[in-house]
mmCIF file of all heavy atoms in Angstrom:
data_model
loop_
_atom_site.group_PDB
_atom_site.id
_atom_site.type_symbol
_atom_site.label_atom_id
_atom_site.label_comp_id
_atom_site.label_asym_id
_atom_site.label_seq_id
_atom_site.Cartn_x
_atom_site.Cartn_y
_atom_site.Cartn_z
ATOM 1 N N PRO R 1 -37.122 -22.086 -250.534
ATOM 2 C CA PRO R 1 -37.365 -23.480 -250.174
ATOM 3 C C PRO R 1 -36.404 -24.400 -250.908
ATOM 4 O O PRO R 1 -36.148 -24.226 -252.098
ATOM 5 C CB PRO R 1 -38.817 -23.717 -250.607
ATOM 6 C CG PRO R 1 -39.110 -22.649 -251.580
ATOM 7 C CD PRO R 1 -38.243 -21.496 -251.257
ATOM 8 N N MET R 2 -35.844 -25.343 -250.175
ATOM 9 C CA MET R 2 -34.904 -26.293 -250.764
ATOM 10 C C MET R 2 -34.919 -27.574 -249.945
ATOM 11 O O MET R 2 -35.518 -27.627 -248.874
ATOM 12 C CB MET R 2 -33.504 -25.703 -250.850
ATOM 13 C CG MET R 2 -32.909 -25.225 -249.543
ATOM 14 S SD MET R 2 -31.293 -24.509 -249.789
ATOM 15 C CE MET R 2 -31.607 -22.822 -249.367
ATOM 16 N N SER R 3 -34.236 -28.579 -250.451
ATOM 17 C CA SER R 3 -34.215 -29.867 -249.773
ATOM 18 C C SER R 3 -33.420 -29.769 -248.469
ATOM 19 O O SER R 3 -32.660 -28.823 -248.251
ATOM 20 C CB SER R 3 -33.588 -30.927 -250.680
ATOM 21 O OG SER R 3 -32.208 -30.662 -250.846
ATOM 22 N N GLN R 4 -33.591 -30.791 -247.621
ATOM 23 C CA GLN R 4 -32.884 -30.795 -246.337
ATOM 24 C C GLN R 4 -31.375 -30.870 -246.560
ATOM 25 O O GLN R 4 -30.604 -30.217 -245.872
ATOM 26 C CB GLN R 4 -33.356 -31.977 -245.489
ATOM 27 C CG GLN R 4 -32.731 -32.023 -244.107
ATOM 28 C CD GLN R 4 -33.085 -30.811 -243.266
ATOM 29 O OE1 GLN R 4 -34.235 -30.400 -243.259
ATOM 30 N NE2 GLN R 4 -32.129 -30.235 -242.583
ATOM 31 N N ARG R 5 -30.947 -31.668 -247.551
ATOM 32 C CA ARG R 5 -29.508 -31.790 -247.827
ATOM 33 C C ARG R 5 -28.943 -30.453 -248.286
ATOM 34 O O ARG R 5 -27.872 -30.044 -247.860
ATOM 35 C CB ARG R 5 -29.289 -32.862 -248.883
ATOM 36 C CG ARG R 5 -27.830 -33.132 -249.195
ATOM 37 C CD ARG R 5 -27.702 -34.378 -250.049
ATOM 38 N NE ARG R 5 -26.521 -34.830 -250.642
ATOM 39 C CZ ARG R 5 -25.307 -34.374 -250.650
ATOM 40 N NH1 ARG R 5 -25.033 -33.310 -250.011
ATOM 41 N NH2 ARG R 5 -24.302 -34.941 -251.264
ATOM 42 N N ALA R 6 -29.674 -29.753 -249.156
ATOM 43 C CA ALA R 6 -29.207 -28.456 -249.636
ATOM 44 C C ALA R 6 -29.168 -27.445 -248.494
ATOM 45 O O ALA R 6 -28.248 -26.626 -248.410
ATOM 46 C CB ALA R 6 -30.103 -27.956 -250.755
ATOM 47 N N THR R 7 -30.144 -27.512 -247.598
ATOM 48 C CA THR R 7 -30.150 -26.614 -246.444
ATOM 49 C C THR R 7 -28.948 -26.885 -245.543
ATOM 50 O O THR R 7 -28.287 -25.958 -245.077
ATOM 51 C CB THR R 7 -31.454 -26.791 -245.650
ATOM 52 O OG1 THR R 7 -32.546 -26.561 -246.523
ATOM 53 C CG2 THR R 7 -31.524 -25.828 -244.494
ATOM 54 N N ASP R 8 -28.645 -28.165 -245.309
ATOM 55 C CA ASP R 8 -27.492 -28.521 -244.476
ATOM 56 C C ASP R 8 -26.182 -28.054 -245.107
ATOM 57 O O ASP R 8 -25.322 -27.493 -244.438
ATOM 58 C CB ASP R 8 -27.448 -30.029 -244.247
ATOM 59 C CG ASP R 8 -28.617 -30.527 -243.419
ATOM 60 O OD1 ASP R 8 -29.258 -29.688 -242.746
ATOM 61 O OD2 ASP R 8 -28.897 -31.736 -243.461
ATOM 62 N N VAL R 9 -26.050 -28.274 -246.409
ATOM 63 C CA VAL R 9 -24.811 -27.879 -247.096
ATOM 64 C C VAL R 9 -24.653 -26.363 -247.086
ATOM 65 O O VAL R 9 -23.560 -25.844 -246.868
ATOM 66 C CB VAL R 9 -24.803 -28.443 -248.534
ATOM 67 C CG1 VAL R 9 -23.684 -27.840 -249.351
ATOM 68 C CG2 VAL R 9 -24.668 -29.951 -248.499
ATOM 69 N N SER R 10 -25.749 -25.629 -247.310
ATOM 70 C CA SER R 10 -25.633 -24.167 -247.310
ATOM 71 C C SER R 10 -25.296 -23.649 -245.911
ATOM 72 O O SER R 10 -24.550 -22.681 -245.772
ATOM 73 C CB SER R 10 -26.921 -23.527 -247.818
ATOM 74 O OG SER R 10 -27.972 -23.734 -246.890
ATOM 75 N N GLY R 11 -25.818 -24.299 -244.885
ATOM 76 C CA GLY R 11 -25.452 -23.908 -243.522
ATOM 77 C C GLY R 11 -23.976 -24.134 -243.241
ATOM 78 O O GLY R 11 -23.321 -23.299 -242.611
ATOM 79 N N VAL R 12 -23.440 -25.259 -243.727
ATOM 80 C CA VAL R 12 -22.005 -25.534 -243.542
ATOM 81 C C VAL R 12 -21.165 -24.518 -244.311
ATOM 82 O O VAL R 12 -20.139 -24.039 -243.820
ATOM 83 C CB VAL R 12 -21.685 -26.977 -243.991
ATOM 84 C CG1 VAL R 12 -20.187 -27.208 -244.073
ATOM 85 C CG2 VAL R 12 -22.315 -27.974 -243.048
ATOM 86 N N MET R 13 -21.612 -24.164 -245.525
ATOM 87 C CA MET R 13 -20.860 -23.171 -246.301
ATOM 88 C C MET R 13 -20.873 -21.807 -245.619
ATOM 89 O O MET R 13 -19.850 -21.116 -245.589
ATOM 90 C CB MET R 13 -21.433 -23.068 -247.720
ATOM 91 C CG MET R 13 -21.107 -24.263 -248.582
ATOM 92 S SD MET R 13 -21.529 -24.047 -250.319
ATOM 93 C CE MET R 13 -23.292 -23.951 -250.253
ATOM 94 N N LEU R 14 -22.022 -21.425 -245.082
ATOM 95 C CA LEU R 14 -22.083 -20.144 -244.366
ATOM 96 C C LEU R 14 -21.189 -20.157 -243.139
ATOM 97 O O LEU R 14 -20.483 -19.181 -242.860
ATOM 98 C CB LEU R 14 -23.527 -19.846 -243.966
ATOM 99 C CG LEU R 14 -24.470 -19.418 -245.087
ATOM 100 C CD1 LEU R 14 -25.891 -19.348 -244.577
ATOM 101 C CD2 LEU R 14 -24.041 -18.090 -245.657
ATOM 102 N N ALA R 15 -21.197 -21.254 -242.392
ATOM 103 C CA ALA R 15 -20.350 -21.347 -241.204
ATOM 104 C C ALA R 15 -18.878 -21.317 -241.588
ATOM 105 O O ALA R 15 -18.061 -20.674 -240.912
ATOM 106 C CB ALA R 15 -20.668 -22.627 -240.430
ATOM 107 N N GLY R 16 -18.509 -21.991 -242.681
ATOM 108 C CA GLY R 16 -17.120 -21.965 -243.135
ATOM 109 C C GLY R 16 -16.690 -20.575 -243.572
ATOM 110 O O GLY R 16 -15.566 -20.145 -243.308
ATOM 111 N N GLY R 17 -17.593 -19.872 -244.250
ATOM 112 C CA GLY R 17 -17.269 -18.510 -244.667
ATOM 113 C C GLY R 17 -17.082 -17.579 -243.489
ATOM 114 O O GLY R 17 -16.154 -16.763 -243.454
ATOM 115 N N VAL R 18 -17.953 -17.710 -242.497
ATOM 116 C CA VAL R 18 -17.832 -16.865 -241.310
ATOM 117 C C VAL R 18 -16.583 -17.223 -240.529
ATOM 118 O O VAL R 18 -15.889 -16.355 -239.989
ATOM 119 C CB VAL R 18 -19.103 -16.995 -240.439
ATOM 120 C CG1 VAL R 18 -18.919 -16.358 -239.089
ATOM 121 C CG2 VAL R 18 -20.278 -16.363 -241.156
ATOM 122 N N ALA R 19 -16.241 -18.532 -240.479
ATOM 123 C CA ALA R 19 -15.056 -18.955 -239.736
ATOM 124 C C ALA R 19 -13.763 -18.498 -240.410
ATOM 125 O O ALA R 19 -12.735 -18.344 -239.742
ATOM 126 C CB ALA R 19 -15.043 -20.472 -239.582
ATOM 127 N N SER R 20 -13.803 -18.280 -241.731
ATOM 128 C CA SER R 20 -12.578 -17.857 -242.416
ATOM 129 C C SER R 20 -12.320 -16.359 -242.284
ATOM 130 O O SER R 20 -11.209 -15.897 -242.565
ATOM 131 C CB SER R 20 -12.657 -18.236 -243.890
ATOM 132 O OG SER R 20 -13.631 -17.450 -244.538
ATOM 133 N N LEU R 21 -13.304 -15.589 -241.879
ATOM 134 C CA LEU R 21 -13.112 -14.138 -241.770
ATOM 135 C C LEU R 21 -12.038 -13.740 -240.753
ATOM 136 O O LEU R 21 -11.182 -12.918 -241.075
ATOM 137 C CB LEU R 21 -14.436 -13.458 -241.440
ATOM 138 C CG LEU R 21 -15.419 -13.351 -242.596
ATOM 139 C CD1 LEU R 21 -16.729 -12.757 -242.115
ATOM 140 C CD2 LEU R 21 -14.844 -12.521 -243.710
ATOM 141 N N PRO R 22 -12.024 -14.271 -239.537
ATOM 142 C CA PRO R 22 -10.987 -13.844 -238.597
ATOM 143 C C PRO R 22 -9.578 -14.203 -239.060
ATOM 144 O O PRO R 22 -8.635 -13.420 -238.900
ATOM 145 C CB PRO R 22 -11.322 -14.581 -237.299
ATOM 146 C CG PRO R 22 -12.715 -15.028 -237.430
ATOM 147 C CD PRO R 22 -12.994 -15.149 -238.886
ATOM 148 N N VAL R 23 -9.442 -15.386 -239.660
ATOM 149 C CA VAL R 23 -8.119 -15.808 -240.124
ATOM 150 C C VAL R 23 -7.641 -14.906 -241.253
ATOM 151 O O VAL R 23 -6.498 -14.410 -241.245
ATOM 152 C CB VAL R 23 -8.159 -17.285 -240.573
ATOM 153 C CG1 VAL R 23 -6.830 -17.701 -241.171
ATOM 154 C CG2 VAL R 23 -8.530 -18.178 -239.412
ATOM 155 N N GLY R 24 -8.516 -14.679 -242.242
ATOM 156 C CA GLY R 24 -8.132 -13.836 -243.367
ATOM 157 C C GLY R 24 -7.884 -12.396 -242.962
ATOM 158 O O GLY R 24 -6.942 -11.744 -243.442
ATOM 159 N N GLY R 25 -8.738 -11.887 -242.069
ATOM 160 C CA GLY R 25 -8.550 -10.506 -241.609
ATOM 161 C C GLY R 25 -7.264 -10.321 -240.831
ATOM 162 O O GLY R 25 -6.537 -9.342 -241.030
ATOM 163 N N SER R 26 -6.950 -11.276 -239.964
ATOM 164 C CA SER R 26 -5.706 -11.148 -239.195
ATOM 165 C C SER R 26 -4.492 -11.307 -240.094
ATOM 166 O O SER R 26 -3.485 -10.606 -239.930
ATOM 167 C CB SER R 26 -5.672 -12.165 -238.052
ATOM 168 O OG SER R 26 -5.750 -13.480 -238.571
ATOM 169 N N LEU R 27 -4.550 -12.201 -241.084
ATOM 170 C CA LEU R 27 -3.434 -12.361 -242.020
ATOM 171 C C LEU R 27 -3.245 -11.089 -242.838
ATOM 172 O O LEU R 27 -2.101 -10.627 -243.030
ATOM 173 C CB LEU R 27 -3.699 -13.552 -242.942
ATOM 174 C CG LEU R 27 -2.632 -13.832 -243.988
ATOM 175 C CD1 LEU R 27 -1.331 -14.234 -243.329
ATOM 176 C CD2 LEU R 27 -3.097 -14.906 -244.939
ATOM 177 N N ALA R 28 -4.332 -10.502 -243.315
ATOM 178 C CA ALA R 28 -4.224 -9.263 -244.083
ATOM 179 C C ALA R 28 -3.667 -8.134 -243.226
ATOM 180 O O ALA R 28 -2.848 -7.329 -243.693
ATOM 181 C CB ALA R 28 -5.587 -8.881 -244.643
ATOM 182 N N LEU R 29 -4.073 -8.061 -241.986
ATOM 183 C CA LEU R 29 -3.563 -7.030 -241.091
ATOM 184 C C LEU R 29 -2.066 -7.199 -240.840
ATOM 185 O O LEU R 29 -1.318 -6.219 -240.852
ATOM 186 C CB LEU R 29 -4.341 -7.072 -239.763
ATOM 187 C CG LEU R 29 -3.999 -5.973 -238.762
ATOM 188 C CD1 LEU R 29 -4.350 -4.613 -239.352
ATOM 189 C CD2 LEU R 29 -4.745 -6.191 -237.465
ATOM 190 N N VAL R 30 -1.637 -8.430 -240.637
ATOM 191 C CA VAL R 30 -0.201 -8.687 -240.414
ATOM 192 C C VAL R 30 0.591 -8.324 -241.652
ATOM 193 O O VAL R 30 1.640 -7.653 -241.572
ATOM 194 C CB VAL R 30 0.024 -10.154 -240.008
ATOM 195 C CG1 VAL R 30 1.497 -10.523 -240.087
ATOM 196 C CG2 VAL R 30 -0.515 -10.409 -238.613
ATOM 197 N N LEU R 31 0.116 -8.762 -242.830
ATOM 198 C CA LEU R 31 0.855 -8.457 -244.056
ATOM 199 C C LEU R 31 0.872 -6.955 -244.339
ATOM 200 O O LEU R 31 1.878 -6.410 -244.813
ATOM 201 C CB LEU R 31 0.233 -9.203 -245.238
ATOM 202 C CG LEU R 31 0.460 -10.717 -245.251
ATOM 203 C CD1 LEU R 31 -0.278 -11.343 -246.413
ATOM 204 C CD2 LEU R 31 1.944 -11.029 -245.329
ATOM 205 N N TYR R 32 -0.217 -6.258 -244.053
ATOM 206 C CA TYR R 32 -0.250 -4.825 -244.257
ATOM 207 C C TYR R 32 0.703 -4.116 -243.293
ATOM 208 O O TYR R 32 1.402 -3.170 -243.671
ATOM 209 C CB TYR R 32 -1.676 -4.298 -244.076
ATOM 210 C CG TYR R 32 -1.797 -2.820 -244.296
ATOM 211 C CD1 TYR R 32 -1.759 -2.289 -245.576
ATOM 212 C CD2 TYR R 32 -1.920 -1.949 -243.217
ATOM 213 C CE1 TYR R 32 -1.858 -0.926 -245.785
ATOM 214 C CE2 TYR R 32 -2.015 -0.589 -243.413
ATOM 215 C CZ TYR R 32 -1.984 -0.080 -244.697
ATOM 216 O OH TYR R 32 -2.076 1.274 -244.881
ATOM 217 N N ALA R 33 0.735 -4.597 -242.061
ATOM 218 C CA ALA R 33 1.616 -3.970 -241.079
ATOM 219 C C ALA R 33 3.078 -4.190 -241.431
ATOM 220 O O ALA R 33 3.919 -3.316 -241.219
ATOM 221 C CB ALA R 33 1.319 -4.526 -239.686
ATOM 222 N N VAL R 34 3.389 -5.348 -241.973
ATOM 223 C CA VAL R 34 4.778 -5.638 -242.334
ATOM 224 C C VAL R 34 5.172 -4.888 -243.600
ATOM 225 O O VAL R 34 6.337 -4.574 -243.809
ATOM 226 C CB VAL R 34 4.965 -7.165 -242.488
ATOM 227 C CG1 VAL R 34 6.330 -7.506 -243.031
ATOM 228 C CG2 VAL R 34 4.750 -7.857 -241.160
#
């Protein structure tokens, strides 16, 4: 249980973390391939 603001911020952080996975994974794959 947490405040509404903390819930909103944690949701944004989770979405940002999930959104960074494809970018980081593709960059790592390109660098590994090169």
Side-chain angles (χ1 to χ4, degrees):
M2 57 182 114
S3 69
Q4 183 62 44
R5 183 169 172 0
T7 303
D8 294 342
V9 169
S10 68
V12 169
M13 287 190 294
L14 286 172
V18 169
S20 69
L21 285 176
V23 175
S26 60
L27 179 65
L29 185 63
V30 167
L31 289 176
Y32 181 75
V34 173

